[in-house]
């Protein structure tokens, strides 16, 4: 399975800070992590569905399709990759780990490339976009707990 696992280093210290401030720390952290996993899935699906596609054009099943260029989200012609992207929710504290990914074999080839094909990263790119503001969310939760 091609997947990204979200493990947060320092999670125990952050939970301790939450617990000092509020009794809802584990629930808050779990919600933030699950939101990041859901966002990763959504961003990946949207990227695969919408392109851009500026690669080579070819015919498949009587349809003309345009491939993605190296470095772009992979384009879909049968929706198999995008419909296979699944989220596994976080485990309970203190581990708090979840994953998002696909069991479609070619997902990893698209992500990392092969000796015959340049990569079309879709999962790591989506994850980076999804966690862009996670630090702000954590700080907001801590500030809210202080009130």
């Amino acid at each position: 399975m091609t997947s990204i696992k979200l493990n947060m280093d320092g999670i125990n210290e952050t939970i301790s800070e939450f617990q000092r401030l509020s009794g809802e720390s584990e629930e808050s952290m779990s919600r933030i992590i699950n939101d990041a996993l859901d966002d990763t899935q959504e961003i990946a699906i949207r990227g695969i569905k919408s392109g851009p596609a500026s690669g080579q054009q070819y015919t498949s099943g009587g349809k003309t399709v345009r491939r993605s260029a190296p470095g772009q989200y992979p384009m879909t012609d049968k929706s198999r990759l995008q419909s296979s992207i699944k989220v596994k929710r976080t485990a309970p504290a203190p581990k708090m780990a979840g994953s998002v990914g696909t069991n479609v074999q070619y997902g990893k080839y698209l992500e990392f490339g092969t000796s015959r094909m340049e990569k079309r990263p879709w999962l790591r790119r989506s994850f980076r976009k999804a966690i862009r503001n996670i630090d702000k969310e954590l700080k907001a939760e801590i500030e809210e707990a202080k009130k």
Side-chain angles (χ1 to χ4, degrees):
M1 178 172 181
T2 302
S3 67
I4 287 183
K5 291 186 178 185
L6 178 56
N7 294 310
M8 296 184 69
D9 291 331
I11 193 80
N12 292 333
E13 292 82 10
T14 305
I15 289 173
S16 294
E17 177 70 9
F18 270 146
Q19 286 173 334
R20 195 173 62 73
L21 299 169
S22 165
E24 302 173 8
S25 60
E26 290 175 8
E27 185 179 311
S28 295
M29 289 298 284
S30 183
R31 184 178 62 250
I32 289 169
I33 293 169
N34 284 326
D35 286 349
L37 295 169
D38 290 339
D39 290 348
T40 300
Q41 178 189 39
E42 181 182 314
I43 292 166
I45 290 170
R46 191 174 47 236
I48 292 167
K49 282 171 111 173
S50 64
S54 60
Q56 295 176 339
Q57 194 169 313
Y58 67 100
T59 303
S60 173
K63 275 185 3 183
T64 301
V65 181
R66 185 170 296 278
R67 288 188 170 120
S68 56
Q72 295 178 339
Y73 274 95
M75 289 305 297
T76 185
D77 60 348
K78 295 184 177 117
S79 303
R80 187 168 169 221
L81 177 62
Q82 70 194 34
S83 64
S84 73
I85 301 170
K86 304 294 183 218
V87 172
K88 288 185 183 172
R89 298 282 179 220
T90 60
K95 187 175 180 180
M96 288 216 186
S99 65
V100 59
T102 180
N103 60 357
V104 172
Q105 183 73 25
Y106 62 84
K108 67 181 170 190
Y109 303 138
L110 291 166
E111 182 73 23
F112 300 108
T114 68
S115 61
R116 296 178 45 194
M117 178 187 78
E118 291 185 58
K119 61 186 173 182
R120 273 106 174 130
W122 58 277
L123 190 55
R124 291 176 298 161
R125 170 185 289 165
S126 300
F127 178 70
R128 283 192 296 272
K129 288 179 182 178
I131 64 166
R132 218 175 254 158
N133 296 316
I134 202 166
D135 59 331
K136 292 176 187 167
E137 291 179 48
L138 289 170
K139 288 176 185 173
E141 289 282 338
I142 290 172
E143 291 304 314
E144 183 64 31
K146 287 181 180 179
K147 293 179 183 178

